Amino acid sequence: CHHVTGECSCPLGWTGHDCKHPCSSGRWGRGCANSCACDGGDGGCDPATGTCSCQPGFTGQRCQ
């Protein structure tokens, strides 16, 4: 937490005043500020890294 404001600095993939809320589906990164860039299969992405999670039958960096 910030020593003056008390605001938490959440780890990647977490958000909220007390960092107890994981990023919602389709969001990732610090403060969940990034959108997943995954295409086909709608597998979503890792909330910390943004790495796509491909559904069966889809492959590639963006599940294209």
Side-chain angles (χ1 to χ4, degrees), residues 2-41:
H2 190 274
H3 70 282
V4 175
T5 66
E7 183 178 351
C8 294
S9 177
C10 300
L12 296 174
W14 294 88
T15 190
H17 174 71
D18 52 5
C19 300
K20 289 185 179 181
H21 304 284
C23 291
S24 61
S25 181
R27 307 295 299 177
W28 70 277
R30 187 157 317 281
C32 304
N34 304 305
S35 296
C36 292
C38 307
D39 291 332

